[in-house]
Amino acid sequence: MEGVTFKRIRMALGFTGDELARRLNVSGNYIRLVETNKKPVSELLEYKIMDQLRVALESNDPLFSILKELLDGGHRH
């Protein structure tokens, strides 16, 4: 995963870099380095942010409900 993708996921989740850093148990500076491609996204960090995305998709947040619907083929259930 590239830093820009990581940042887009963070932004879609609605977190600041520091908020996400706390959730992922890393420093805010590390998040900034990752998002600017100065540090690679480790497999563990990628797993952690994808887990945050999975939790968001399972939530009742209207944005993620729409996203989940689109991912499921756009069919209403």
Side-chain angles (χ1 to χ4, degrees):
M1 174 185 300
E2 293 184 20
V4 68
T5 303
F6 186 91
K7 183 176 182 176
R8 291 180 74 189
I9 293 170
R10 174 187 58 79
M11 293 175 72
L13 290 168
F15 298 135
T16 66
D18 290 331
E19 288 170 333
L20 183 62
R22 280 191 296 281
R23 287 179 175 268
L24 303 185
N25 200 29
V26 296
S27 72
N29 189 53
Y30 183 69
I31 296 295
R32 286 183 282 284
L33 290 171
V34 164
E35 290 182 352
T36 57
N37 289 317
K38 293 180 179 143
K39 287 271 189 186
V41 179
S42 69
E43 285 184 36
L44 179 59
L45 191 61
E46 184 173 342
Y47 172 81
K48 287 180 174 183
I49 197 167
M50 295 307 286
D51 190 53
Q52 291 291 313
L53 185 56
R54 180 191 53 77
V55 168
L57 284 169
E58 293 173 358
S59 74
N60 291 325
D61 184 310
L63 170 64
F64 290 103
S65 294
I66 292 168
L67 239 174
K68 187 174 181 185
E69 184 177 314
L70 291 171
L71 291 172
D72 288 340
H75 305 291
R76 290 206 178 263
H77 299 271

